[in-house]
Amino acid sequence: TVGNIKENFGGLEFVYENEKFFTKLLAKHNIVLIILAIELARKLGMNLEETRRGVERIETLPNRLTPIYNNQSNIWVIDDSYNANFKGIISGLEVLERSRGRKVILTPGLVELGEKSKEIHKKIGKAYAKKADLVLLIKNSVAPYIIEGMEENNFRGYKVYNNVEEAHNDLKNILKSGDTIIFQNDWPDNYL
């Protein structure tokens, strides 16, 4: 289990076999994966101290819950633009919840969900209604389902943009000092 969540998206601490470990990764589900890697490393002959140092060296991957802080604007960006599934959306929201300021989401939704698309996007809208202060949506075939999920949960704090460029250009008018914005997923042009 996670022992300590570092402030300002600084990572996670956890205890394994009475040894404290630290990772820069932000999603709690990574702890299970790290423990599996520790177990494998132990079976290959590494001791806990060696594995602890290895875990500390794990870097976040680009576009996968990558925290970026802008000193000038005092705004955190959580880049999760590679995310492409419902569980990833929920994991990103759990990370966003750690923000002290306003919680903003920029998303086009998910792609390639087939007949489950409406159901899943309504669930996403419901989750946004519970976790976000402001949702910035990119207009596409699933945006109405996200809106439906938000509005069914009495959430009206959203804005719809025609395309990603329009949304990005408006961020300077939307974001304020102390905000955290998460970029969730990025649709290829052929889906918009």
Side-chain angles (χ1 to χ4, degrees):
T1 61
V2 177
N4 187 19
I5 297 172
K6 297 290 189 176
E7 287 186 14
N8 297 320
F9 308 105
L12 304 170
E13 285 182 346
F14 64 98
V15 175
Y16 177 73
E17 290 195 11
N18 297 318
E19 182 81 23
K20 187 183 282 189
F21 285 80
F22 167 77
T23 180
K24 296 173 195 165
L25 303 180
L26 300 179
K28 291 179 182 178
H29 68 262
N30 285 315
I31 302 297
V32 172
L33 301 172
I34 291 170
I35 289 172
L36 287 171
I38 292 168
E39 284 293 319
L40 180 60
R42 300 278 311 280
K43 289 197 184 304
L44 294 173
M46 294 179 73
N47 64 40
L48 277 177
E49 177 58 26
E50 291 169 318
T51 58
R52 186 189 58 73
R53 288 193 311 264
V55 169
E56 287 180 1
R57 289 195 297 268
I58 298 171
E59 294 291 333
T60 58
L61 294 171
N63 314 116
R64 292 169 177 89
L65 290 175
T66 308
I68 304 160
Y69 180 68
N70 183 315
N71 274 325
Q72 291 181 319
S73 64
N74 187 33
I75 293 172
W76 277 99
V77 173
I78 306 298
D79 182 355
D80 198 24
S81 57
Y82 192 77
N83 173 25
N85 62 61
F86 180 74
K87 286 184 179 180
I89 293 280
I90 299 305
S91 182
L93 292 178
E94 188 277 325
V95 171
L96 182 64
E97 277 186 292
R98 301 175 200 166
S99 170
R100 289 191 176 151
R102 196 168 62 143
K103 295 154 185 58
V104 181
I105 299 165
L106 174 60
T107 187
L110 299 174
V111 70
E112 296 179 353
L113 295 176
E115 61 189 42
K116 296 266 187 192
S117 188
K118 181 176 182 176
E119 174 189 343
I120 291 171
H121 283 95
K122 282 182 70 175
K123 284 183 183 177
I124 290 170
K126 181 179 181 178
Y128 287 169
K130 291 179 180 179
K131 308 286 185 182
D133 295 305
L134 177 63
V135 178
L136 309 175
L137 290 171
I138 308 305
K139 188 177 183 179
N140 57 50
S141 61
V142 302
Y145 307 137
I146 296 172
I147 291 169
E148 191 176 337
M150 290 188 296
E151 288 185 350
E152 284 178 1
N153 289 275
N154 300 314
F155 184 81
R156 307 258 185 291
Y158 65 87
K159 186 171 182 178
V160 181
Y161 296 92
N162 289 317
N163 55 53
V164 174
E165 185 178 358
E166 182 181 298
H168 281 260
N169 288 339
D170 196 33
L171 290 179
K172 65 184 173 294
N173 302 316
I174 299 279
L175 297 177
K176 303 173 189 170
S177 178
D179 285 354
T180 298
I181 183 169
I182 187 168
F183 296 129
Q184 289 201 309
N185 201 8
D186 186 15
W187 277 30
D189 290 340
N190 57 317
Y191 286 103
L192 291 175

